[in-house]
Amino acid sequence: MKLTPITTTFLIAGAVFFPGTPAYSASCCGGGSSSSLLLPKASHAMIDTSIDIEQYDGFWNKEGDHINDPPGSDLNQYRLNLAYAHRLASRWQASVIMPYIWNDNQYSGLDTQTNGLGDTKINLWYEAFDDVTCVWKIKKLSDLKPSAYFGATLTLPSGVSPFDDVDNNFDITGRGFYRLDGNILIEKTIYPWSTALLISYGKYFERSVNREYGKYVEPYDMNLGDRLLATLSLGYTQFLDSMDTVTYTLAFSHLQEEKAEINGRTDPTSGFEKRSFALTAAYATMDRDWVYKATWGHAIDKDGWGENFPTTDVLTLGVSYVLR
Amino acid sequence: MYCVKKWLPACLLVTLFNTTGCQGVTDDLTPSDSDKRPTVVSGSTGSQPTQSAPDFTAVDTLNNSRTLSSELALADSVVLYFTMWCPICDSHMSHIRSQLIPEFPNVRFLVIDYVTGSVPASRAAQLANGYASFTVLADSNQALHDTFKGSMGITVVIDGAGIVRMNEYYKDGRKLRETLAALP
């Protein structure tokens, strides 16, 4: 799919009218962590704000070997994510997520600080159920029915990419490509336990390139490879005396991106994989209007846990407010 | 409350775009395919294709002094690859090692470390990243970086006559291979 001014206009218009959900924050070399921004049933809207503190700890090379950063390196990215979700109909909801990113890196003799808007996500979700499926006990077969969400996410390249006026990857805040993801989220809660499976598959839109890391080049067409994200999580909810809740969630994620194409030919140096864990604690008030979240995302800095990708730890602190 | 619900998303968008000043935003939203490379005078001294590369002196990570002219005297051409030892650089260098060095045995491949800042640190980074067999120039004062307008992944090809044949990002290595194959 070639990106032309006409399709660009269509995509922007489509993004406005057909939004979607999983929040995906831009990161160095295009990584980052994902989280869902889903409205509860019978809610009108939700405002979500979070801060990501991502610390880099080496990288995996193409063979999957973990390589440490040079001694004295201190690579960090900070993201402020602003998100808004809105119910369109009883089974439809939409959201937009905009990150603002600060890069703060000391790498060998290089010391850089940059900031800018990240890539924007616009989501549209369809809920394939009418009633809340959370139950306390299994009394009949229908109590086993999970909640199923089907969604689409459009990524707008609003960040600073390698194709802008930057010197290296420490300066970037986005990938530079439009991407459309199809998402499936299946979740089931039998109190106090809950589990969820998120599968997201994305295709980028080919674009023209006439500049690389600040240097104008002979124009060519480029497209990144298809992207797959799968996240499996298990949660436990603790009810406090006040009927407020604290939910603890452990998640495992697998992220991979196929090789890119340049003028229709495969780029053998591209593509990546990453596997990581995340531990989340979420505190919700009794009426579930306010939710406070803290997530620690951890990638294993050992051989075989990723390929051609930075190894990072991410601490996320966030708060959501639900408008009834 | 109705107004808040209605206008909040628009306010968020406007605030963020105002914060960034939209700098660099529209470049990727509406990519350009126009050729904006600067024009240069062929044969003049400079770092761009068709220009004559300035001679340079640099120290490698084994503390040997090397000049462009002496390297060209020993090979058909010279390739400079600018690394910052990042994942992408590693991917490029791995590709050079496995695909291009065997194919072009008469070409001198020199890796330019323009970020590490000293010869010992550059040597340590070279070994830690598994490239002991490469010749790495420690560009401690970023002289080569400035001379050739190098940055992460920039690859420069200089032919036997000292003429720059390529100066751009490595990408998939195809342009480098084609450039080397086209040299006399």
Side-chain angles (χ1 to χ4, degrees):
Chain A
M1 198 163 2
K2 179 71 185 297
L3 196 65
T4 65
I6 293 174
T7 53
T8 304
T9 305
F10 169 78
L11 284 168
I12 294 172
V16 171
F17 294 110
F18 303 103
T21 287
Y24 219 110
S25 306
S27 178
C28 177
C29 301
S33 61
S34 74
S35 60
S36 293
L37 181 69
L38 282 169
L39 270 175
K41 277 287 189 187
S43 300
H44 171 76
M46 181 162 65
I47 303 165
D48 184 279
T49 304
S50 64
I51 296 171
D52 296 331
I53 302 168
E54 183 163 22
Q55 186 163 42
Y56 289 73
D57 182 20
F59 65 92
W60 296 286
N61 64 15
K62 288 286 285 183
E63 286 70 45
D65 299 329
H66 184 265
I67 308 292
N68 291 321
D69 290 323
S73 298
D74 185 17
L75 311 178
N76 301 283
Q77 185 177 81
Y78 308 101
R79 298 184 287 270
L80 171 64
N81 306 300
L82 299 179
Y84 175 79
H86 193 93
R87 182 162 296 284
L88 305 174
S90 62
R91 285 190 169 199
W92 290 90
Q93 59 176 284
S95 60
V96 58
I97 301 155
M98 299 184 72
Y100 194 85
I101 297 174
W102 289 263
N103 292 313
D104 183 5
N105 299 303
Q106 186 167 350
Y107 188 83
S108 288
L110 205 62
D111 193 0
T112 65
Q113 287 84 32
T114 59
N115 61 81
L117 197 63
D119 287 345
T120 302
K121 305 283 182 184
I122 298 174
N123 308 295
L124 177 69
W125 283 98
Y126 173 76
E127 302 156 10
F129 58 97
D130 288 314
D131 300 317
V132 175
T133 63
C134 307
V135 297
W136 283 94
K137 286 185 178 177
I138 305 297
K139 296 176 181 174
K140 52 187 184 300
L141 198 59
S142 61
D143 289 340
L144 290 171
K145 182 185 175 186
S147 302
Y149 300 82
F150 300 93
T153 300
L154 179 66
T155 301
L156 305 178
S158 50
V160 179
S161 79
F163 314 114
D164 293 315
D165 189 15
V166 298
D167 195 47
N168 56 55
N169 260 13
F170 290 148
D171 297 340
I172 68 172
T173 63
R175 298 296 301 277
F177 285 81
Y178 286 91
R179 189 178 79 232
L180 185 62
D181 291 86
N183 313 307
I184 298 175
L185 175 63
I186 309 289
E187 66 175 15
K188 180 63 185 174
T189 298
I190 303 172
Y191 284 117
W193 298 97
S194 60
T195 186
L197 174 65
L198 169 68
I199 296 176
S200 179
Y201 191 85
K203 292 188 82 70
Y204 288 93
F205 295 81
E206 188 179 58
R207 60 163 286 178
S208 298
V209 174
N210 69 349
R211 182 169 56 177
E212 300 161 338
Y213 295 102
K215 181 177 287 190
Y216 285 107
V217 297
E218 181 181 359
Y220 61 91
D221 294 329
M222 183 176 184
N223 199 5
L224 299 179
D226 292 356
R227 190 178 182 107
L228 171 68
L229 170 70
T231 300
L232 181 64
S233 65
L234 177 67
Y236 177 85
T237 299
Q238 178 184 7
F239 285 83
L240 308 179
D241 292 341
S242 59
M243 289 308 289
D244 293 353
T245 59
V246 182
T247 301
Y248 307 95
T249 305
L250 177 64
F252 172 76
S253 290
H254 173 87
L255 171 68
Q256 70 176 62
E257 189 173 289
E258 300 302 317
K259 289 181 171 58
E261 288 188 348
I262 296 172
N263 284 336
R265 296 185 292 192
T266 301
D267 175 2
T269 68
S270 60
F272 61 76
E273 281 189 24
K274 178 190 180 184
R275 287 171 284 282
S276 59
F277 292 93
L279 186 62
T280 299
Y283 177 90
T285 54
M286 182 180 66
D287 53 11
R288 308 293 179 264
D289 282 353
W290 290 94
V291 181
Y292 305 91
K293 294 167 288 188
T295 298
W296 176 55
H298 179 62
I300 310 295
D301 56 353
K302 304 291 182 189
D303 296 351
W305 285 84
E307 289 179 18
N308 203 25
F309 205 74
T311 313
T312 67
D313 278 352
V314 189
L315 175 64
T316 302
L317 302 172
V319 58
S320 302
Y321 178 65
V322 176
L323 301 165
R324 300 291 176 184
Chain B
M1 183 54 79
Y2 173 77
C3 289
V4 171
K5 290 176 183 175
K6 185 177 179 182
W7 294 107
L8 183 65
C11 289
L12 289 176
L13 284 168
V14 169
T15 302
L16 270 175
F17 274 89
N18 281 343
T19 306
T20 61
C22 292
Q23 290 174 351
V25 170
T26 55
D27 289 356
D28 290 323
L29 290 172
T30 55
S32 169
D33 61 358
S34 51
D35 193 342
K36 296 182 178 178
R37 287 176 292 176
T39 53
V40 296
V41 178
S42 297
S44 61
T45 300
S47 63
Q48 299 308 302
T50 72
Q51 290 190 295
S52 181
D55 199 7
F56 62 78
T57 302
V59 178
D60 68 20
T61 52
L62 297 176
N63 277 311
N64 300 308
S65 181
R66 295 179 182 273
T67 64
L68 174 61
S69 50
S70 61
E71 297 299 315
L72 284 173
L74 300 171
D76 292 345
S77 59
V78 166
V79 172
L80 309 177
Y81 177 82
F82 287 82
T83 186
M84 55 189 295
W85 308 110
C86 66
I88 294 174
C89 303
D90 181 82
S91 182
H92 292 164
M93 292 169 65
S94 175
H95 190 250
I96 289 173
R97 176 165 55 191
S98 65
Q99 302 294 320
L100 294 172
I101 290 179
E103 190 176 337
F104 298 99
N106 295 326
V107 173
R108 282 288 285 153
F109 288 85
L110 302 175
V111 172
I112 315 297
D113 175 1
Y114 69 100
V115 298
T116 303
S118 71
V119 172
S122 190
R123 178 63 177 170
Q126 176 186 3
L127 296 178
N129 285 273
Y131 291 97
S133 62
F134 276 59
T135 298
V136 177
L137 304 184
D139 190 23
S140 304
N141 57 2
Q142 295 199 330
L144 294 178
H145 171 273
D146 296 341
T147 299
F148 288 94
K149 296 181 172 57
S151 64
M152 190 193 84
I154 290 295
T155 310
V156 181
V157 177
I158 304 165
D159 70 13
I163 304 298
V164 177
R165 294 299 178 186
M166 169 182 164
N167 185 337
E168 64 180 58
Y169 184 63
Y170 186 82
K171 291 197 285 290
D172 57 359
R174 201 177 304 269
K175 179 72 178 291
L176 174 57
R177 173 178 276 126
E178 290 171 356
T179 302
L180 292 176
L183 293 177

